[in-house]
Structure formats: C-alpha cells, structure tokens
Amino acid sequence: MTDPLGELRVLVVGYGLIGRQRAQALAELPGARLVGTVDPGVPDPSATTGAPHHPDLAEVEPEGYDAAIVAAPHDRATDLAAAVLQAGRPVLIEKPLGVTVGQADRLAQLAGALPKPSFVGYNYRFLPAVRILLEGVCSGRFGRLRNVDLLLGHGGHPSSAEGWKLDPVGAGGGVLLGAGVHLLDLLLTMAPAIECTDVQATRGFWPTGIEEDVVATFRREQLLATVRISHIRWVNTFRVELVGDDGYAIAQGRGGNYGPMELRIGRRWAWSEPGAGSQSETEERSDFGSENASLRDELAAVLRAWRTGAQPVGPIHPATMAEGKAVTALCEALYGRLP
Ligand SMILES: NC(=O)c1ccc[n+]([C@@H]2O[C@H](COP(=O)([O-])OP(=O)(O)OC[C@H]3O[C@@H](n4cnc5c(N)ncnc54)[C@H](O)[C@@H]3O)[C@@H](O)[C@H]2O)c1
C-alpha cells in the first residue's frame, strides 16, 4: 500500500557521534529515508549509508531534501541550521538551540516563517523513566512539587580535552552548555517559571578553562530544585529525584555506560496503609534495561510532525523552538552568574 503522506527525505548535517545515530534511527523508522550526509571531517560514508555524501552544505540543492538534522559542533551549528531554514526546510537541531539567546532567537524566527515545525534535540524527555516521570508531573500524580534534583555526571577519558566539546570556542562553554542543558530542559518542563537562586562552578582539571563541575539551585514558591552537572565525576551518572506532597519518583541510569535505567515511584507514607509492609515494598519499580532508544523515539515524533505538518501534542513531545530558546535563555542567565 502506498503511504498517503509520502516518504520524507532527510539530510543529516554533521556525521559524527550523533549524526550517525540519527542516520541509523532513520533507517529503522518508517516513512522517511536518509537522502544524504554532509560533513567535511569524515571519510565518505556513502558505501554504508547508501546516500550521497557532501563535504559542504552549500553543495546540496534544497529541492533534494524535505528536512534536515543538524548535529555539528556548537560554533558551526547555528549557521548550518540557519542555512537549512533559509532554504525553506524544517530542522531538528541537536541541543543547544544556539550558544546565545541572540542565536536562538535568529533560528526561532527563521523556523517560525516555515509551514512545518522545527525542533531541538532534547532526547532525555524520551528516556522511558523520564517520560513516566514527566507524565506524572503533568497529571498531578505526585501532588504539588516540593523537590526536583537532577544530576548528570560524565567520567570523561584521558583525551577528553582534545576535542571541541571542552573547548570554549568550539562548544561555546563547558558542562552547562554541553550536558547541562538537558537537565535545564527537564527542569523547565516540570517547572517552567522556576528561578535560579545560586550557581557555583569549579574549573582547572581540564586545561581548557571551561566550567567542569557545576551546582545550581532554583526556587519557585514551595519548590526547591538542584541541578548538578560534572565532567570530573569519573563514573557516568544520571539521576532524577522528584518529591511532591503526595509521592515521589526516583529515576536512575540512562542505559549504556550510565547503567540500566530504573524507576521507583512511591506514595507518601504508603507503609502506613493496612498490610502494606515497608515503604520500599509499596513502591512501583520498573527496569528499562541497558538500551537507550531515546534518540530514535524522539526522531519518530519529529518525523510524524514533519509529515503531518502539525506540532505534536501531549506532555511528551520533541522540544519546540520556543522551549529550546527558553533553555538557552536560562543557560545564558546561569553563565551571567557563574563565579
Ligand atoms: N542528545 C545527546 O545525548 C547528545 C550527545 C552528544 C552530543 N549531542 C549534540 O550533538 C551535536 C553533535 O555532537 P557529536 O557528539 O555528534 O559531535 P561529533 O564531534 O562527534 O560530530 C560532529 C561532526 O560535525 C562535523 N562538522 C564540523 N563542521 C561541519 C560543517 N561545517 N558541516 C557539516 N558537518 C560539520 C564534524 O566533522 C563532526 O564529524 C552537538 O550539538 C552536541 O551538543 C547530543
């Protein structure tokens, strides 16, 4: 049977770690196909992808693709995404949306002029435990939120400082703009009006001058939150703890070398219910294993939006340009306060 929406032709710009994973996800998802890759810094992968490779985006005719994924170093990504949008094509740009609010604004404005929506790659929303947790916040399952604690620690490796990711020019910052924006995105998804009360950082283990260990505190009425991001933690760690008046959720792990993803959900004083047993015996526990399919699941939602032209609805959706801009604005505000 022919697909009534037609097959979507997707260009991948930047064929490094994430570009390759997005291309692989495209091969697994229905309704779309990889139509080309662009990257000046990798050997031609067309023999494995089956799609033409270009060293420069300027060589690709806009008529040859319907949408693009931009997965390039932060100092190139804004101009690359702008070129795609100016060619009239929607984009999925890997986080962050611009290094500055000015860049985020520019991209959001260009995207807003197109009929199809563009998105920012904040795939942590699509981790299964995070998804359940966010749905719970949206439905009020935990009651009024009192605590949110988000922790992301990266072990790094001896040559971490050689790439662009810890280079303040290539990356535009350190751990805040690197991995930290994922946590800021989750925090804003749970508490959009929360405000920063303090941020502390240390530097100096890596010789590039970036902030490498950050703790930030936030408050909104009775909600207190912390965000902790580190590139000196030696063991990869991802943890989200959330406490409301009526219950709590604890998510840990991210799959892969962050360990299996597990989720515990509990109700306040459930131990006191007749025959309940201990608090831990009353918890709902889920183990999502070691696979991390969040990039693929996020892309599936993006492809649906591109094919139908509609913004996705519901609590778990790919980050819109407005949401991406809000994360960049919060990140910029934190940089403004960094010691
Ligand atoms: N969501 C996540 O979990 C996650 C994880 C890692 C990185 N990222 C994001 O993905 C993006 C890419 O990161 P990565 O880890 O894939 O980096 P990477 O260094 O592995 O790949 C980037 C690629 O971009 C290429 N490139 C450089 N200039 C280019 C240009 N002008 N045109 C096309 N390609 C160009 C480089 O040659 C390189 O192959 C960044 O925005 C990063 O923050 C997201």
Side-chain angles (χ1 to χ4, degrees):
M1 205 172 82
T2 51
D3 183 341
L5 294 173
E7 195 179 45
L8 198 81
R9 300 165 305 154
V10 181
L11 183 71
V12 170
V13 183
Y15 197 67
L17 176 73
I18 297 299
R20 282 195 299 274
Q21 291 183 46
R22 293 292 194 186
Q24 178 60 41
L26 271 174
E28 294 166 14
L29 292 167
R33 79 184 150 92
L34 180 71
V35 81
T37 53
V38 179
D39 195 317
V42 297
D44 182 344
S46 55
T48 45
T49 63
H53 182 72
H54 313 267
D56 189 338
L57 178 61
E59 287 177 8
V60 187
E61 292 295 335
E63 292 70 34
Y65 65 97
D66 302 311
I69 298 168
V70 172
H74 300 165
D75 60 343
R76 326 273 159 80
T78 297
D79 285 345
L80 291 165
V84 169
L85 293 164
Q86 279 161 338
R89 301 292 181 260
V91 75
L92 167 62
I93 179 170
E94 301 298 342
K95 57 82 186 164
L97 180 64
V99 165
T100 62
V101 177
Q103 292 179 359
D105 244 334
R106 177 181 170 217
L107 293 176
Q109 274 181 27
L110 288 170
L114 300 183
K116 295 206 171 184
S118 288
F119 298 99
V120 189
Y122 280 116
N123 56 303
Y124 281 41
R125 296 172 173 212
F126 287 81
L127 290 165
V130 171
R131 205 179 176 126
I132 292 170
L133 200 145
L134 294 179
E135 281 164 352
V137 170
C138 259
S139 69
R141 175 178 189 177
F142 306 110
R144 179 178 53 164
L145 289 187
R146 305 296 300 248
N147 294 172
V148 174
D149 296 294
L150 299 144
L151 165 65
L152 190 57
H154 197 299
H157 50 80
S159 43
S160 281
E162 289 164 21
W164 63 267
K165 290 179 183 172
L166 301 192
D167 164 18
V169 176
V175 290
L176 257 180
L177 202 59
V181 287
H182 279 299
L183 302 189
L184 298 181
D185 175 57
L186 295 183
L187 181 63
L188 289 180
T189 305
M190 292 186 258
I194 203 155
E195 287 174 1
C196 178
T197 51
D198 191 20
V199 55
Q200 294 295 326
T202 60
R203 301 174 172 79
F205 179 85
W206 301 105
T208 62
I210 55 135
E211 80 286 357
E212 56 201 17
D213 194 35
V214 171
V215 58
T217 54
F218 300 82
R219 177 166 193 151
R220 172 76 182 171
E221 296 169 355
Q222 294 296 87
L223 170 61
L224 298 180
T226 60
V227 164
R228 190 95 172 75
I229 318 119
S230 176
H231 210 298
I232 52 164
R233 217 174 165 86
W234 316 143
V235 54
N236 289 348
T237 311
F238 175 61
R239 193 171 167 92
V240 180
E241 293 197 8
L242 180 157
V243 179
D245 279 345
D246 300 337
Y248 59 90
I250 300 171
Q252 175 149 311
R254 205 189 72 178
N257 52 24
Y258 282 75
M261 171 144 248
E262 294 159 359
L263 177 65
R264 291 164 48 196
I265 293 186
R267 298 186 310 284
R268 172 172 50 95
W269 302 334
W271 53 266
S272 66
E273 293 160 13
S278 68
Q279 179 66 26
S280 76
E281 283 168 332
T282 68
E283 288 178 344
E284 282 172 39
R285 289 173 180 245
S286 313
D287 185 341
F288 299 98
S290 291
E291 194 204 356
N292 179 350
S294 59
L295 284 170
R296 186 196 62 206
D297 293 347
E298 177 186 53
L299 184 57
V302 169
L303 294 177
R304 265 196 304 280
W306 281 343
R307 296 176 79 221
T308 60
Q311 283 282 3
V313 288
I316 310 305
H317 58 263
T320 62
M321 299 300 265
E323 289 169 335
K325 202 172 107 179
V327 175
T328 304
L330 180 55
C331 194
E332 193 169 277
L334 295 187
Y335 273 113
R337 298 176 68 139
L338 268 191

